[in-house]
Amino acid sequence: MDNIIIAKNISYTYMKGSPLEKKALDDVSLTMKKGEFAAIIGHTGSGKSTLIQHLNGLLKPDSGELVVAGLETAGRDLKELRKKVGIVFQYPEHQLFEETVYKDIEFGLLKQNIPDEERARRIKETASILELSESILQKSPYEISGGQKRRAAIAGVLVLEPEILVLDEPAAGLDPAGTRELFDIVTQLYREKQITVILVSHSMELVGDYASRIIVMNEGRISHDGTPSEIFGLGDELEKIGLGTPQISKLMARLSSFYPGLRKDVFTVGDAQRAIMEYMRAGK
Amino acid sequence: MIKNITLGQYLPGSSIIHRADPRTKIIITVLFMVVLFIVSSIWALLAAFACVAGVFLISGISFKYAIRGMKPVLFIIVFTMILNMFFTDGTVLIRLGPVRITEEGLILAAVVSMRVFLLIASASIMTYTTTPITLTDGIEKLMNPLKKVKFPVHEMAMMMTIALRFIPTLIDETDKIMKAQAARGADIGSGNLLQRAKSFIPVLIPLFVSSFRRADELAIAMEARCYRGSEGRTSMRVLKFNRNDVAIFSFFCIICAGILLIHYLI
């Protein structure tokens, strides 16, 4: 598999040369393969959002080199880059502006000069994936519910069929059911279209459930990078930088002190269930 | 994208100018502007320039930062300079076809551009060294006499406080929306004039909507805390003139007198 993202020692400073200067990225190097489902975690101000804004050239590194989908992000061809990298920002529903949901989803396609038929087909397909009915599509984005707004805004990015989909706290402000629904959609897309997904979150539960790789950021640097079991195995080290392990992992750690032999490297409820069942069967 | 506008932002510090009473700073800034309009000799303006530079030094704000903040208004300065340079009658120095540069034009261009530059620089010292909240406190106190003629001073000051308070929030918001739309392929601010104006729609509409939402939320929050205007309200920070202010004020008077003297004597 090819590396779709190659970052070499990138650094970025906000408000350079002013007293309010803030180093947001400090010598970050990272490679990501095509078709990965990675999560970036870190507490507020750790540089997560700055890093993802580099991926489609919204920000350009002060130093270092960043190649995404074969394109230099510091290069001129931003249009091509942004076609390939779709970013869903935090609270994406704040960017809705058209008269109808349909027109809002169409916005990016029109900017890319996609022909009429293709446009209609893609919007229909995306709307069905995100469960936006025909009647919602014809409504104003200001009169539908919060969850529907969120999905409409995400549709506006997905309809561009990006190769890399970046989601910045997509579940913020959604109820648990809405969150599950959204993540099931993303997982389904990930499997069907074989896109690369980058999820930014500080919900350890979600990250443990869906991502196959976790990148931990702290003070503008990548402090850890590995599979969920490797990362959550760190335990205390994560707590030190203001992040916790999923609650179910904590529970399993406690349980295993009473029942030696019970698996500890568990971070989803489903896995925990399986581990306990296994333990009980082995005990018999 | 839009975050590079730094003119008028408060920069924390502890210099004598930071600590001065906002009323002192407001009065001095206004008086200094009056002086700038009175003087028209280049020497007097140069003296004023030296004073402003001195104040920047004392306040501890880097020149580099201040100049960068002024970039957006540089256009206006250059524009007035060019207008004055080419359209003033007098002794011709250089003539190129219909275009001619006169001695008077050159001097006037220098004077006008210096004046505009100094006006902005002196006002920006005030905003660089004073938090918006203290600034409006100062304005409210200074306008207090107007209450006698039933002018809603407190309400005005409250409006200013809120407006100033929300500038950074709105800038953040604009930046976020611009980025989100750019990520969807919008080119904001490119093409011809009509296209450019149109390209701002995807930014302005969400911005309006969120501003109204914010205003509504703020109104509810204020009412929930029983806010009902100025009647009988006391202030958390009571402004007081002290020795520091007297010193600054006397020093300022001497400088002004010096500048005016230069103007009238040379």
Side-chain angles (χ1 to χ4, degrees):
Chain A
M1 278 197 285
D2 316 325
N3 286 331
I4 198 160
I5 295 173
I6 306 163
K8 273 188 207 143
N9 313 93
I10 57 171
S11 296
Y12 186 81
T13 309
Y14 282 107
M15 313 263 300
K16 208 170 193 170
S18 90
L20 305 173
E21 171 173 302
K22 188 180 177 299
K23 195 155 200 177
L25 285 184
D26 187 6
D27 199 21
V28 169
S29 296
L30 175 74
T31 55
M32 211 174 270
K33 288 193 171 67
K34 209 170 170 178
E36 267 192 293
F37 195 135
I40 301 178
I41 60 173
H43 62 87
T44 322
S46 58
K48 297 171 294 185
S49 294
T50 312
L51 180 62
I52 62 165
Q53 285 177 33
H54 275 81
L55 297 179
N56 71 350
L58 285 172
L59 297 177
K60 292 183 179 155
D62 291 334
S63 63
E65 216 176 281
L66 178 61
V67 179
V68 177
L71 295 165
E72 277 263 6
T73 62
R76 275 156 190 254
D77 208 355
L78 285 177
K79 263 205 156 151
E80 197 54 36
L81 180 68
R82 285 174 189 169
K83 234 185 248 182
K84 294 186 173 181
V85 185
I87 300 188
V88 177
F89 285 98
Q90 254 179 65
Y91 297 104
E93 57 273 25
H94 291 173
Q95 76 202 41
L96 298 169
F97 72 98
E98 275 285 9
E99 288 159 60
T100 65
V101 174
Y102 186 93
K103 280 190 180 171
D104 204 277
I105 299 174
E106 199 178 25
F107 176 73
L109 294 174
L110 287 171
K111 291 285 165 196
Q112 289 185 8
N113 301 320
I114 309 270
D116 291 2
E117 279 168 41
E118 171 77 2
R119 255 188 354 246
R121 183 192 68 74
R122 282 210 209 169
I123 295 171
K124 213 176 147 197
E125 191 190 297
T126 316
S128 80
I129 294 172
L130 287 162
E131 289 161 18
L132 294 162
S133 68
E134 193 59 37
S135 71
I136 291 177
L137 286 181
Q138 296 312 324
K139 279 188 183 161
S140 152
Y142 294 113
E143 52 183 41
I144 56 179
S145 80
Q148 288 166 341
K149 275 187 197 171
R150 176 75 50 100
R151 277 182 279 143
I154 294 174
V157 175
L158 280 183
V159 79
L160 305 172
E161 302 185 344
E163 288 174 30
I164 303 174
L165 178 64
V166 184
L167 300 150
D168 190 355
E169 291 285 358
L174 287 186
D175 58 20
T179 308
R180 285 282 150 203
E181 217 178 305
L182 182 61
F183 275 87
D184 288 340
I185 290 167
V186 172
T187 324
Q188 185 197 340
L189 263 174
Y190 165 69
R191 293 217 182 97
E192 279 173 13
K193 306 220 162 175
Q194 276 144 25
I195 52 176
T196 310
V197 178
I198 300 172
L199 169 67
V200 177
S201 179
H202 36 229
S203 160
M204 298 300 141
E205 271 75 19
L206 279 174
V207 167
D209 275 2
Y210 293 98
S212 56
R213 174 182 175 188
I214 297 180
I215 297 159
V216 185
M217 294 208 58
N218 188 36
E219 288 173 1
R221 289 166 174 273
I222 292 177
S223 65
H224 301 91
D225 185 349
T227 63
S229 55
E230 281 166 16
I231 297 296
F232 293 138
L234 297 169
D236 290 346
E237 239 177 284
L238 279 186
E239 305 264 350
K240 244 182 256 163
I241 56 173
L243 297 165
T245 43
Q247 293 182 354
I248 193 74
S249 304
K250 284 185 194 160
L251 176 71
M252 292 300 277
R254 285 288 289 280
L255 278 179
S256 69
S257 65
F258 295 112
Y259 303 101
L262 185 65
R263 269 175 53 209
K264 279 190 287 187
D265 58 333
V266 166
F267 33 85
T268 68
V269 177
D271 281 351
Q273 189 189 356
R274 249 163 273 139
I276 293 172
M277 293 298 280
E278 258 169 47
Y279 180 81
M280 284 169 72
R281 273 198 212 104
K284 263 179 195 172
Chain B
M1 292 183 171
I2 199 170
K3 283 200 170 164
N4 298 323
I5 299 170
T6 53
L7 188 71
Q9 191 173 26
Y10 170 67
L11 295 173
S14 57
S15 71
I16 186 168
I17 296 163
H18 280 87
R19 280 178 281 130
D21 190 290
R23 285 170 293 180
T24 317
K25 284 187 263 191
I26 295 167
I27 295 170
I28 285 181
T29 309
V30 172
L31 287 181
F32 190 67
M33 286 179 168
V34 172
V35 170
L36 283 179
F37 275 106
I38 293 172
V39 298
S40 55
S41 93
I42 196 133
W43 296 110
L45 282 167
L46 277 174
F49 184 85
C51 296
V52 170
V55 176
F56 263 105
L57 265 181
I58 297 167
S59 65
I61 294 157
S62 79
F63 285 113
K64 220 174 97 194
Y65 186 73
I67 296 289
R68 223 187 45 183
M70 285 182 78
K71 257 186 198 159
V73 281
L74 218 62
F75 170 76
I76 302 170
I77 297 177
V78 171
F79 188 71
T80 48
M81 203 161 118
I82 289 171
L83 269 190
N84 281 301
M85 211 153 84
F86 292 120
F87 296 98
T88 312
D89 289 323
T91 339
V92 178
L93 288 178
I94 306 164
R95 188 191 287 275
L96 276 170
V99 182
R100 55 193 171 67
I101 297 174
T102 62
E103 197 184 325
E104 284 82 353
L106 268 184
I107 293 169
L108 195 64
V111 167
V112 171
S113 53
M114 282 257 287
R115 189 179 280 155
V116 175
F117 178 85
L118 287 173
L119 283 174
I120 295 161
S122 56
S124 64
I125 288 176
M126 182 171 73
T127 51
Y128 279 141
T129 59
T130 325
T131 61
I133 304 290
T134 25
L135 205 57
T136 40
D137 268 358
I139 292 171
E140 185 177 355
K141 285 274 144 32
L142 283 175
M143 296 205 317
N144 247 344
L146 287 177
K147 269 188 182 161
K148 294 244 162 62
V149 289
K150 294 260 157 77
F151 186 80
V153 172
H154 173 80
E155 282 70 16
M156 272 277 297
M158 185 50 117
M159 268 165 61
M160 279 181 65
T161 312
I162 292 173
L164 287 171
R165 156 68 186 78
F166 277 97
I167 289 173
T169 314
L170 279 183
I171 289 179
D172 270 359
E173 184 101 3
T174 314
D175 192 57
K176 245 192 241 163
I177 297 169
M178 275 171 89
K179 278 179 175 162
Q181 306 297 20
R184 290 209 276 170
D187 317 297
I188 291 153
S190 63
N192 63 36
L193 205 63
L194 187 70
Q195 283 169 331
R196 247 193 252 188
K198 264 191 174 169
S199 75
F200 276 104
I201 293 174
V203 178
L204 290 179
I205 292 178
L207 200 60
F208 261 114
V209 172
S210 72
S211 304
F212 276 105
R213 200 189 54 231
R214 262 182 231 287
D216 199 38
E217 282 168 4
L218 184 67
I220 291 171
M222 283 167 82
E223 282 200 337
R225 295 197 220 168
C226 304
Y227 175 81
R228 51 186 181 82
S230 67
E231 216 42 45
R233 260 183 110 71
T234 52
S235 183
M236 191 174 97
R237 286 172 307 264
V238 181
L239 297 179
K240 253 190 199 145
F241 286 115
N242 56 26
R243 217 180 285 163
N244 200 346
D245 295 291
V246 177
I248 291 178
F249 206 80
S250 1
F251 193 65
F252 169 75
C253 287
I254 297 170
I255 285 175
C256 278
I259 293 172
L260 287 174
L261 217 63
I262 294 174
H263 169 65
Y264 286 116
L265 292 184
I266 302 177

